[in-house]
Every structure is written in C-alpha cells, then in structure tokens.
C-alpha cells in the first residue's frame, strides 16, 4: 500500500541510463534556477526605502544611487560567476572554488553556510509566499503554518518526481511574474511620462538631506543587496544542464542577470518617481501597482504572480541543496546517503532532508521567519566572498591567457562582496550573531565525519594484511520460551548445521515454571543441553546476556564463534505484529550492538 | 545514558518477590482510588443548577430533591459494589461481573467502555485541573496544553515508580481537599444559621415553578449523577489492597461513599441556601467559598485543593486502567504486553499507553475537553448497568443465603443506572452519539485479537503432531558490497559452518564495476561462487530478492534451507550509525517478513 502511494505521488522509477533525459534546457533552467533571485525584486527595493525613511521622505532619492550601486554589485557577481562556470564545469560553486583555491576550511565554511542558507531559502520564501496568500484570503490566516507546511510538502513531491517534470510545472509562474512586472514597469513609465498618473511629490536627485550618514547609506545598500540572494544557484547546478553544460549555464546566467537588472531598476525608479514611502501594511510593489492600474484585474495579476514566485523561490533551494550535498558527501564531509539517487534520479535524501529541516524552522518560528532574512543574506555573502577570493588566487596561481582582466573582475567581485558582508556584520550584528556559533560548529562536524569515514575505510581495507584468525568451531545458543513449533524449527536448523555445541536457554520467572520446563525438555529434546536461568527482575535480556558473556569468554579462548539463534514466529498480517512480545527483536538489537556475536533469526511463518 | 535517566525517574527495579510490599493500606487506598469520585463534587452540583437555571432562578430549589435522588443513586451503587467486592475478591469489576453472568459480549462492552472512560478521565481531569491553575495565574493561559501534558507526564512517572510511593505523595492533597470542603460546609452552615452571612433570597422548597417539565428534571438528575463517576474504581482494584483485600476494599468503599455523600449534600444545600446561580466565569464552589469567607486565605486554600484534586483525579485512571487491561489481556482480548510488570512492578505498558492516549486527546482538543464530559458520564453508566444486571443474574442463578435482599439491592442499582443511562441517551444524544460507533468497533477488535491469539497458539502447539520434515542441507547466500574485512569475516564464518553451498552476490550499478569486481573476486576467494546482478534502478533489494527467490525455489525442491548472511560493520559510537548506508538493516527487514528465509547478521566491530 505504501509503495502504491509512493508510485502515485512520485511516479514510476527511472533507469540510471535515463539520466540524460532528465536534464534541463535553457528556458526551463532559467525558470527553475532563477526564481529565488528574481523573487528578491519583490522585497529588495523595499529594504532600501525602509532604511532611508528613518531619516525623512526627502532622503528617499538616495535609493537611486544606492540602486545603481546594487546594479554594479550585480554586474560584478554575474561576471564573476560566469568565470566560475567555465573554470568549474562540473558545478559545486562556492564550495568547490573555495576548497580548491583557499584550502579545505574555507571550502567547508562556504559549503556549510550555503547548506544552511538553502534551508533558510525554503523556510523564508514559503513563509513569505504564504503571507501573500493569506493576505488575499484573510480567513485562511489562522492556518498559516499548516498552509506553509502543505506547500513545502507539495514542492518536495514535485522535486522527488524529478527535475524536468518539476520545471514544466514551475516554469509558467516564473515567466508570468516576469511578464507581469515588465508590463507594470512599461505602463508605469508611460503613464509617468504622459502624466496620466500624477506622480506624487518627490525630492529631486541631489537634494541635500539633513542627518544622512555614511553608515546609514551603507546599511541601505546592504539591505538592498538582499535582492541578489540566489544568483549563485546556476553555478552550482551546471551538471543539471543539457550539454554543453557550461555554455548553456553561462547564457542562462546572463539572461537572469539582465532580467534581474531590468526588474530591479524598474521598481526602484518607479518607487522614486511616484514618491512611494514604505508602509507596514502594504508592500512597495503593491503600492506601485495600485497607483498605476488601480485595484483592477492587472493589480491582482501582479500580486498573484508575486505570491506564486515567492513560493517557487523555495524551489531554488531544492535544486541547489542536493547537488551541494552530493559534493560534500563525495568528499566524505557529510553522510554518504546524500549521494544516492532515488527512484526518479533526483537525490531523494537531500530533498527530504531539506524539506524536514525547513518544516522544523517553519514550525519553530510559527511561520514568522522574517527576522531570519538578515541571517539569510549574510549567509549568502560569506560564500560569495570566498568564491571570488578563490578565483583571485586561482588566476594569480595559474596565470592563463588574459588573466589580468579575469583577475580584475574577480577582485572587484571579492571586494564588493566582502564589503557588503562587513556592512552586514557591522550594521546588523544583533540579528546575524548566530552565524558565529553555528558556522564553526558545522565546520567542526564536517571534519569529525570525514575523520570517521577515513578511519572506517582504513579498518575495512583488506590490504592492511592483518591475518584473519581461522575459526576453530561454533557454539550455538538458542533462547527458548516454550515447547512449540517455533522452537522445533530453530532446533532442526541448528542441528542441520552441526555446530560443535547447541545450548538451549530458558529464562524462568519462578522456580515452579523452571522445574516443569526442565522435565518437559528432557522428554522432548534429550540430546540438546538446556540451561535455565532465573530472573528476579522479570527481565529476559539481563540474565541472557550475562550467560552469553560467560559462554563467549570461554569460546574466545579456543577461538570458537558464538551464534545466537533467535526463534521468531511471523504473523500472517502486519497489524498482528503488535500483539506479540517484541522480545526477539529486543534481544537481537541488544546483542548485535553490544557484543561480538553472530545473530541469526529463524522465522516460523504462521499460515493463518 | 537512557538507562541512567530511567533509574533516576523510575527508581531501582524491584524483585518480583517484593510485590506484597507494594500493596495499599486503607488510608492510602482511599486517597488513591477515590480522588476521581470526590473531585466530581467540584462540578456535579453545578451541573444540576446549570440545567435548572434554564427555566428560572425560582426553579433552583429543585436541586434539593434532585440532590436527594443522586444520594439515593449513590447509596444504591455503593451497596451494589460492596456486594461485587465480596463476590469477586480478585477484582475486575464490571468487566468480570458482566462477562461471567451476562456472557462475553456484555463483558467486552463493559470492559471496552471502561477502558475508553479511563482515558477520558485522565484527559478531562487534567484539562480541568489545568484550567483551575491557569485561572489563578492568567499569564500561564497560553501554555494550557503544554502544562496539561507536563502534568500527565509527571503523574505517569509517579505511577511508573510504583503504586505505594505514588500514594504517599498523592494522599495529602486528597485529605486536604476533604478537610477544606468540610470546613467550608461547617462554617457555611454555622454562618447561615447564626445569620452572620445573610443568605440571598431563595425560593422555598415546593414553590410552584412555571415551565418545569419531567424531561428537564430528568436531565438535571442525569447531569448531577456525573458526580458519581469514579465510584467503581475500588471494586476494580481489590488486588492492590493489603490482605484481606475484599474486607479492606469494602471498608474503603463505605468511607468513600460517606465522604462523597457529605460533600455532595453539603455543597448542594449551601448552594440552595445562599441562593447561588451558576455563572460562566465562576464555579459554584468558588461562589460559596467567597460568600462564606470572602476572598481570604481560606478561599484560596479551597480553590487550591480543588485544583489539585482535579489533577489527581486523573490518577484514578492510572490505578484502574492497567488492572482492567491485565484482565482483558489475560483473556486474550488485547495485546499480551499489557500483562507484563515493569521494573517497579507496576504494569508499565498499560500506564504508558494510557498516558499516550490521553496526551493525544489533550492535543487534539487543545486542552478544551469539557464537551467530552457527557460522553465520559455515559461511558460510566453503561458498565454500571451491566455490572448490576450481572449480579442480578448471579443471585437468581446461585440463590445463596439471603439472596432476596442481595437481589433487591442490585435490582434497584441496575434500574437506576439503566434509567440514568437512558436519560443521557435521550437528553444528550448530540454529545454521546460517538458511543454507538466506537463501542461496537472496540468489541469487534477484541474478538479479532482473541481469534488471532487462539489461531497462533493452535499453530504453535507441538501436539498437533505435524511431522517436522528434516532439513537435508543448507545454502548460504552472502550479499557483498566490496572486498573488505567485513566480507572476509562473514566468509570465514560461512566456511566454518560448512554448508552445502556458499554463494556470494554482488549488485552492480554499471557494467564496468561489475567486471572489475568479478576479476578481483576470482583472485581473492576463488573457492566461493560469485553471482553478479545488474540493477537498472539503483535498488539493491529488488535484484537481490529476485535472485534469492530463484535459489529458494530450487532449494525447497530438495528440502534445503536457505540462509542469508549479512555482513555488517558496527561503528564504535552510536552517532556514527547514521553515517552508514542502512542497506543491511533494510535487507534484513525486507527478507525476514516476506520470505521463509533464515537471516544471519555477522557483525564486524570497528575498533576506532
């Protein structure tokens, strides 16, 4: 039944050979990998205005030069990442680049912050999208958390189905959002120029404003650069692209950069031109849309696609997280299970892990994850900086043709990213301090795991030439609970293997039962030695393990192996399992992990 | 670590022989078994007034005759249960009595409704107690559900520690509550008589009231009889009493009846005398207390002990549920695990099951379980009626000395209980209808489980004389994942048992790996046959089971047994388990439950 449900939700399994067919063309890749970056337009410009309004409405004109600054940062990042794509065609982005050029710890720092960041992406985007939905339908508001969890589950199922099928469904909303915003910008500009809509008063650019400080402008710039979260997604996902991967990826990256630039500057300019000030109860995009169109169908179209793309931004996390996890797992820094492809060729474990972690975040923060945004942004600029610096080192070290230009591009990228990161730490320390705790912790865990994997493979390697001591003989211990077909079955099996000794063990709770059982056993299996143990505390495991210890100790002396044979009857139907004492399972679990024993389960299947 | 925590919370395990010392004397038994019944005084009288006030305040005098009716019902129940205690000294109450005299289904009906009822007792009492606590400290109100769950956990731990230790702690609040209410009643009466407190206007008894109907009076009577929930607890718990059990139990029952009668009539009379009408925001007991004492320390003493005893009422469920469960489990109607005594000689599984179910109810109803009260009351009167009717049949059948008197007592008890039950069904059908769904379902499940247990013991019994076919030989299959010490270890073991054939199986994901592995194997273990399987879908289990099926089919023809040897390495530390593919566990689980195979786990313990 479970597997039928799985088939229905996830689809039929795909053969490994079908991997190629699951890859992305450029149109789909743009949709699937850029929803995070593009959706940032919905809140990035607003972040700038929120900082500026703390001075006065006159200060709002600074959004224009700050916007230009963000555009320059965007250009630098796009150019830098373009170089990364060609230099590292197998993907991996910040993690691989930092690791190879700056050393292991820098790589792990980048990788760790990105892993956490993708989880934050999912939690934050889904929560924001849910807010947008429940703002439209206020009666749904009490169910915010439930709706957010449902959305996570839905996106998880889409991703478990496989990446291209998800893309087909997810592409429409992204393109609709782009279309909606471009219409908004064009109509807004046209109406502004023709004067159909009278722009409100706004201070001309260059108006001197009292009280403006560099600190404040930097803070506004840093806030605005939260619009750039998500631009690294493409460089991590090159293996998902159709061949030739790097070329397709770089074209997609350029297209995304262009779109992001257009939408961002359009929104920033219109906000300035219409003299819009940020309000707590209405977003800047919503204000622009309602001034341009009034509250008609176009307004709702824009609001609707904005809500949708916020939800879909979460999907970027789903594309990027499993791929990064694979890279880390291949290097043995996280559990090996992240490298296994599922039935539909996606890395199911990564997808499921991401879903669980983000659901935990959503529940823990009751769907109100807004104050995670600065944390999220700083978590992005750490790997940005590391990756650019890594490229810098690479160019200096390798000095390929035209390296001076390449160096310059990455140098600018590194400097700007580093500055933004510093600004975050300085201006928003109260919100980003957890970074200083969890990042070292994550890097420590990575090392710990790697060390363990290496110790294991060291011990398993057969070339260590530790001569294996031959086994001289076998002792079999059979815990018995009564004189039944189940025990008979196990006894027959033990005898058929002809070990050197078979010992049946019976744990009695009172002397009466003990004596009775011994007599019965004598008649039934006179050739098998029976040991009865007395249990004062009604525990079966304690006396049993004590006895087994003694046997094992003796057996080890003469290099005998001890096998515990557990007779177990298997009921016909699943629900019936709960009706039977789980003693045999308990015994097995207990013995296997505590002692060097071989444990054999001899099943006896019931027929009715 | 887990076991250290368990020791701390639950205490050292006790020997089976120490059972006698855990039994209850009368003082402790009264405290532990009557908190449910006595706490009903806190809401029973109020229930009567709530129905009467729907007519007018003039109708409130009817509470006096209705109160007398409830007292008669109480007397009938106490006398009836006294007879049950002596007739069934081994306990079991309604379940045993109904089963023996009215047949299996009546017994199961009684048992099933009591089981559900004890769960409701816990959920309802704890929620009510929590409400009382958070009414006193309103700032705690948002944490109602959490507090309720914490209380359930605390009471569960007390009960897991064992019944007498719980009694010592739980006895004080019960006696304090009794003391508090008796002081309240005495002072209230004295002040009423001396006129220190001027009673408000109240209609004299017998005042004609317009609009009063028999239906309404019956409804008020039924509501008031909710004060009697819990009186059956003592008759179920006779085995918990010190010897002589029945005598001690009957004395305790009489004491409880007397106390309940005094408290109930005192509250009903004072409410009438002070002309108190029920209010939504203040309980009747609170109104009486504040009129008598004003809001001084005595008022808070009364409110405090009332809150405490409501929480402790839950404990009645903990005493009664596990004992009833043992009776049902001994008769094989529920899972056998309920008969096992835990470390501290309590029936831990019953206690834990009760805790989990009531926590689920508390969470599901968000701590607002008040509307479960009618369901809870009707669930009590079903077994009341069945037990009394059962006694009736017993006396008619056995005709012991003085049976006419005994018959009369139980006849009256049966008639009144049946009437109250009918009144509940007629006047509160909207709230008690779920009884008609879940009771038949529970009885059906009981039968289903019994049938299963009987089928199992039938099949296991060795006297069925089905001759066991001797095993002719053994085939061992070893799934291998590489050439490592783990595999070597398993191979050595397999060879030492000298089966007729050893087959190593390797599942390859691509042709390249397959070929390579075959070559390596040839060199390493030339004497062991290697079978390589190809997996298109990256699943290990599918090709493996397919192969094993084939081998098993052949083996069965010549009566060979097939053993699957699973090489498994055991990491040194627990946290490391998650880092390794759980393939071997998966394979084991899959094979064991689906096929008639013997599964052996050969552990290889890592040393670092």
């Amino acid at each position: 039944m479970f597997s039928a449900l799985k088939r229905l939700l996830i689809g039929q399994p795909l053969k490994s050979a079908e991997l190629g067919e699951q890859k992305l063309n450029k149109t789909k890749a743009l949709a699937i990998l850029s929803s995070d970056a593009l959706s940032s337009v919905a809140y990035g410009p607003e972040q700038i205005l929120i900082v500026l309004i703390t001075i006065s409405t006159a200060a709002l004109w600074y959004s224009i030069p700050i916007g230009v600054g963000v555009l320059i940062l965007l250009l630098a990042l796009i150019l830098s990442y373009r170089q990364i794509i060609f230099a590292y065609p197998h993907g991996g982005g910040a993690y691989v680049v930092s690791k190879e050029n700056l050393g292991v710890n820098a790589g792990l720092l980048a990788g760790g912050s990105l892993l956490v960041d993708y989880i934050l992406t999912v939690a934050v985007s889904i929560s924001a999208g849910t807010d947008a939905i429940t703002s439209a339908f206020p009666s749904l508001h009490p169910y915010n958390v439930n709706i957010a969890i449902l959305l996570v589950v839905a996106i998880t199922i889409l991703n478990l189905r496989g990446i291209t099928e998800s893309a087909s469904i997810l592409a429409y909303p992204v393109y609709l959002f782009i279309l909606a915003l471009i219409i908004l910008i064009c109509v807004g500009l046209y109406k502004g120029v023709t004067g159909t809509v009278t722009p409100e008063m706004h201070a001309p650019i260059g108006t001197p404003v009292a009280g403006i400080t560099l600190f404040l402008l930097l803070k506004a710039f840093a806030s605005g650069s939260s619009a750039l979260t998500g631009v690294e997604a493409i460089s991590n996902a090159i293996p998902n692209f159709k061949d030739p991967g790097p070329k397709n990826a770089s074209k997609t990256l350029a297209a995304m950069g262009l779109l992001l630039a257009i939408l961002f500057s359009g929104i920033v300019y219109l906000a300035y031109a219409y003299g819009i000030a940020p309000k707590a109860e209405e977003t800047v995009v919503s204000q622009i849309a309602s001034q341009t169109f009034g509250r008609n169908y176009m307004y709702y179209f824009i609001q609707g696609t904005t809500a949708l793309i916020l939800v879909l931004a979460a999907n970027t996390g789903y594309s990027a997280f499993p791929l990064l996890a694979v890279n880390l797992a291949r290097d043995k820094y996280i559990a090996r299970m992240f490298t296994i492809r599922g039935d539909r060729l996606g890395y199911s474990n990564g997808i499921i892990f991401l879903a669980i972690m983000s659901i935990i975040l959503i529940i823990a923060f009751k769907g109100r994850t807004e104050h995670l945004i600065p944390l999220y942004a700083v978590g992005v600029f750490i790997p940005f900086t590391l990756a650019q610096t890594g490229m810098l080192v690479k160019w200096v070290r390798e000095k390929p043709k035209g390296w001076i230009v390449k160096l310059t591009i990455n140098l600018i990228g590194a400097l700007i990213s580093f500055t933004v990161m510093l600004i975050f730490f300085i201006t928003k320390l109260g919100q980003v301090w957890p970074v200083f705790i969890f990042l070292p912790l994550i890097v420590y865990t990575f090392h710990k795991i790697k060390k363990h994997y290496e110790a294991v493979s060291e011990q398993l390697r057969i070339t260590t030439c530790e001569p294996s001591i031959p086994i001289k003989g076998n002792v079999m211990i059979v815990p018995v609970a009564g004189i039944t077909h189940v025990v008979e079955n196990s006894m027959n099996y033990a005898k058929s293997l002809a070990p050197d000794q078979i010992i049946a063990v019976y744990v009695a709770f009172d002397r009466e039962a003990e004596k009775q059982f011994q007599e019965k056993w004598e008649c039934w299996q006179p050739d098998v030695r029976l040991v009865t143990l007395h249990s004062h505390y009604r525990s079966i495991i304690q006396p049993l393990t004590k006895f087994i210890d003694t046997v094992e100790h003796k057996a080890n002396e003469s290099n005998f192996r001890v096998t515990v044979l557990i007779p177990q009857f298997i009921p016909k139907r699943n629900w019936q399992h709960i009706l039977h004492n789980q003693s045999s399972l308990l015994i097995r679990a207990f013995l296997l992990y505590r002692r060097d024993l071989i444990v054999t389960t001899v099943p006896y299947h019931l027929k009715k």
Side-chain angles (χ1 to χ4, degrees), chain A residues 22-68:
Chain A
Q22 286 295 101
K23 297 207 159 181
L24 294 168
N25 64 30
K26 279 173 296 202
T27 339
K28 284 185 177 176
L30 183 63
I32 211 168
L33 293 168
S34 66
S35 50
D36 182 15
L38 293 179
S39 70
S40 317
V41 167
Y43 53 80
E46 185 160 3
Q47 301 294 317
I48 302 175
L49 300 181
I50 286 173
V51 177
L52 293 176
I53 197 79
T54 56
I55 299 295
S56 68
T57 48
L60 291 181
W61 70 262
Y62 277 105
S63 65
I64 298 292
I66 288 172
V68 173

Side-chain angles (χ1 to χ4, degrees), chain A residues 67-222:
Chain A
V68 173
V70 173
L71 284 180
I72 292 171
L73 175 58
L74 172 65
L75 183 69
L77 285 177
I78 296 285
L79 288 176
S80 310
Y81 271 108
R82 198 173 160 274
Q83 298 193 151
I84 293 179
I85 286 172
F86 286 105
Y88 292 92
H90 299 295
Y95 166 62
V96 174
V97 176
S98 318
K99 193 187 62 174
E100 293 200 358
N101 299 299
L102 301 174
V104 166
N105 280 320
L108 294 181
L109 201 60
S113 38
L114 278 178
L115 277 189
V116 176
D117 234 56
Y118 293 136
I119 297 170
L120 287 172
T121 306
V122 176
V124 170
S125 313
I126 291 278
S127 303
T130 309
D131 280 344
I133 293 170
T134 55
S135 303
F137 306 98
S139 62
L140 291 176
H141 211 272
Y143 308 106
N144 247 356
V145 172
N146 295 328
I147 293 171
I149 293 172
L150 268 181
L151 287 172
V152 173
V153 170
I155 291 195
T156 306
I157 290 172
L158 280 181
N159 277 282
L160 288 175
R161 282 194 78 92
I163 205 161
T164 33
E165 283 194 42
S166 319
S168 315
I169 296 180
L170 302 179
Y172 299 110
V174 176
Y175 285 112
L176 284 178
F177 172 75
I178 296 170
L179 181 71
L181 280 211
I182 286 181
I183 293 176
L184 172 65
I185 291 165
C186 293
V187 176
L189 287 177
Y190 175 79
K191 290 197 173 171
V193 171
T194 57
T196 320
V197 166
T198 326
E200 290 176 28
M201 290 299 293
H202 58 86
I205 294 174
T207 313
V209 179
I212 204 87
T213 61
L214 185 64
F215 181 83
L216 198 97
L217 291 178
L218 288 176
K219 194 171 171 183
F221 172 65

